[in-house]
Amino acid sequence: MVATAATSSFFPVPSSSAEAKSNKTPSSFGGIKSKSSSSSGGLKVKANAQAPPKINGSPVSLKTSVDTVKTDDDMPSHSPHPRTFINQLPDWSMLLAAITTIFLAAEKQWMMLEWKPRRSDMLIDPFGIGKIVQDGMVFRQNFSIRSYEIGADRTASIETLMNHLQETALNHVRGAGLLGDGFGSTPEMSKRNLIWVVTRMQVLVDRYPTWGDVVQVDTWVSKSGKNGMRRDWCIRDSNSGEILTRASSVWVMMNKLTRRLSKIPEEVRGEIEPFFVNFDPIVDEDSRKLPKLDDNTADYVRKGLAPRWSDLDINQHVNNVKYIGWILESAPLPILESHELSSITLEYRRECGRDSVLQSLTAVSGNGIGNLANAGNVECQHLLRLEEGAEIVRGRTKWRPKYANNFGIPGQIPAGSA
């Protein structure tokens, strides 16, 4: 430091232009002015250039004085922001944002690559894709019942369950590598403009799941006659394994250009038959004939039903789940309030387009229409038709009284009470 001070006295470092124009007077000692060096770390050096004083005739070495404290006079007069310890720190907000972004990206990668359920009741399949089980014969997918999928009874609606059935059917085709560019069509079907259409469906509900429940849906396909396919489903509680719903359906092929039924081409048969199983139907078929209703035999009629754009599927006809909602539009309100649907049988006779206007007809079997709220099991016949009279769907529904559980919530029915 002594060498630095001595050098500064003889070779002063030029100051900035701001300091040169400053009105402040530099410190002086012995008539010689000194300037602070920018490289001296804020230290100011003062030197005495007069002849060295003598003590008892002996010369004394040059004295230096060092100021270790920097005052306001040492700062340029024009600087609006003096360089202090605080404003020399980095921008902590930007640093924190960068660290947060890195951690979020790492967490996302971990969730995608190494996702593990933390609770036993959480979904095994977080992305809802499902998987093929039982030697490639059965497709399985889990669903969590969302708040927007429950109805007035605080349980999942029949439409929710039907949507789960449809979703697993399509994912089964995709999981098997047979999904073409149609709605569940295989590649060979797509080449020939063929699509699957449902002709008959039967659903039995033992118990409806509630909000937050996780259900496991299994589905498989079998042969039905020469030109048909049967698809079955089984819905279970994913925790207890209790069977909640069973469903069976029959499908045939239709040309989407001519809208006529078609035989199964051999090329298509070669695609789908390896996935057929030799299982018995999960639902015993209700072979009773579904009667045709009219204005004289129906007890309730609802008119003016029309599909919306959102009711159409990619084949430009109404999704078959929508028909169930229209059928229930004419169900008597006392039944809806005091009973719940335990089974439904549907026979699809004709497709419905975007410009169709429909009517829903319902007839209550037996007597006691005036006291439905206190009735036991109730059976209804249904018909969905166009305004000009053409039949769309015939149906039959069975209803059972609602039972309250210990919390006073309706819809909790003991298994097997359908």
Side-chain angles (χ1 to χ4, degrees), residues 25-46:
T25 303
S27 301
S28 61
F29 183 80
I32 296 180
K33 301 176 182 179
S34 63
K35 299 180 181 179
S36 60
S37 172
S38 60
S39 63
S40 61
L43 300 180
K44 179 183 288 188
V45 180
K46 299 179 181 180

Side-chain angles (χ1 to χ4, degrees), residues 104-121:
L104 289 176
E107 182 181 11
K108 182 178 180 181
Q109 290 295 325
W110 180 84
M111 289 292 291
M112 293 180 64
L113 299 179
E114 298 183 6
W115 191 94
K116 297 180 180 179
R118 299 182 181 181
R119 299 196 316 268
S120 59
D121 61 340

Side-chain angles (χ1 to χ4, degrees), residues 56-249:
N56 296 329
S58 299
V60 181
S61 62
L62 182 66
K63 296 182 178 180
T64 62
S65 62
V66 179
D67 292 337
T68 59
V69 180
K70 192 171 184 178
T71 63
D72 291 341
D73 292 341
D74 300 320
M75 301 300 300
S77 61
H78 74 284
S79 176
H81 301 291
R83 292 180 59 82
T84 64
F85 175 77
I86 298 298
N87 62 23
Q88 293 184 52
L89 293 176
D91 191 336
W92 294 108
S93 61
M94 295 182 62
L95 182 60
L96 180 60
I99 295 175
T100 303
T101 302
I102 294 174
F103 273 99
L104 289 176
E107 182 181 11
K108 182 178 180 181
Q109 290 295 325
W110 180 84
M111 289 292 291
M112 293 180 64
L113 299 179
E114 298 183 6
W115 191 94
K116 297 180 180 179
R118 299 182 181 181
R119 299 196 316 268
S120 59
D121 61 340
M122 294 181 68
L123 289 178
I124 299 175
D125 178 15
F127 303 107
I129 300 175
K131 58 183 178 180
I132 296 179
V133 297
Q134 296 187 15
D135 298 329
M137 297 291 101
V138 176
F139 181 81
R140 176 172 296 169
Q141 184 171 355
N142 288 352
F143 295 92
S144 179
I145 304 302
R146 312 298 183 182
S147 59
Y148 52 82
E149 295 176 325
I150 62 175
D153 295 333
R154 303 183 184 182
T155 59
S157 64
I158 185 64
E159 289 92 338
T160 294
L161 300 181
M162 296 294 289
N163 282 325
H164 291 168
L165 303 185
Q166 180 173 280
E167 181 70 10
T168 52
L170 293 174
N171 285 334
H172 185 194
V173 177
R174 179 172 63 178
L178 295 178
L179 186 64
D181 59 356
F183 200 47
S185 299
T186 66
E188 290 295 333
M189 291 174 61
S190 299
K191 293 178 182 178
R192 295 162 175 79
N193 295 315
L194 297 175
I195 58 175
W196 288 109
V197 292
V198 58
T199 60
R200 188 177 180 89
M201 177 170 287
Q202 189 173 350
V203 182
L204 302 180
V205 183
D206 293 330
R207 182 173 69 83
Y208 287 89
T210 61
W211 174 36
D213 288 348
V214 178
V215 297
Q216 173 187 294
V217 184
D218 290 353
T219 184
W220 57 93
V221 290
S222 306
K223 183 178 179 181
S224 177
K226 294 182 179 181
N227 291 291
M229 177 185 70
R230 190 185 79 243
R231 177 174 287 278
D232 291 346
W233 294 269
C234 182
I235 301 180
R236 292 183 174 90
D237 185 289
S238 64
N239 291 325
S240 64
E242 173 193 1
I243 295 179
L244 305 179
T245 303
R246 292 164 291 153
S248 185
S249 61

Side-chain angles (χ1 to χ4, degrees), residues 400-418:
R400 60 190 168 214
K402 296 176 182 177
Y403 295 87
N405 61 14
N406 294 332
F407 300 96
I409 300 176
Q412 305 299 310
I413 309 300
S417 61

Side-chain angles (χ1 to χ4, degrees), residues 289-350:
K289 184 179 179 179
L290 295 173
K292 179 180 178 180
L293 298 181
D294 54 32
D295 293 331
N296 296 324
T297 57
D299 298 314
Y300 303 90
V301 178
R302 177 68 184 275
K303 299 181 179 181
L305 300 174
R308 299 171 298 178
W309 177 258
S310 59
D311 297 328
L312 305 179
D313 59 27
I314 62 174
N315 292 320
Q316 295 297 308
H317 63 238
V318 175
N319 189 293
N320 65 81
V321 177
K322 181 61 180 179
Y323 294 141
I324 299 177
W326 282 335
I327 286 175
L328 299 182
E329 284 289 332
S330 60
L333 185 59
I335 290 184
L336 298 177
E337 293 177 338
S338 59
H339 291 65
E340 70 175 6
L341 186 66
S342 61
S343 71
I344 183 170
T345 302
L346 301 172
E347 189 177 281
Y348 297 88
R349 293 176 169 264
R350 183 173 177 175

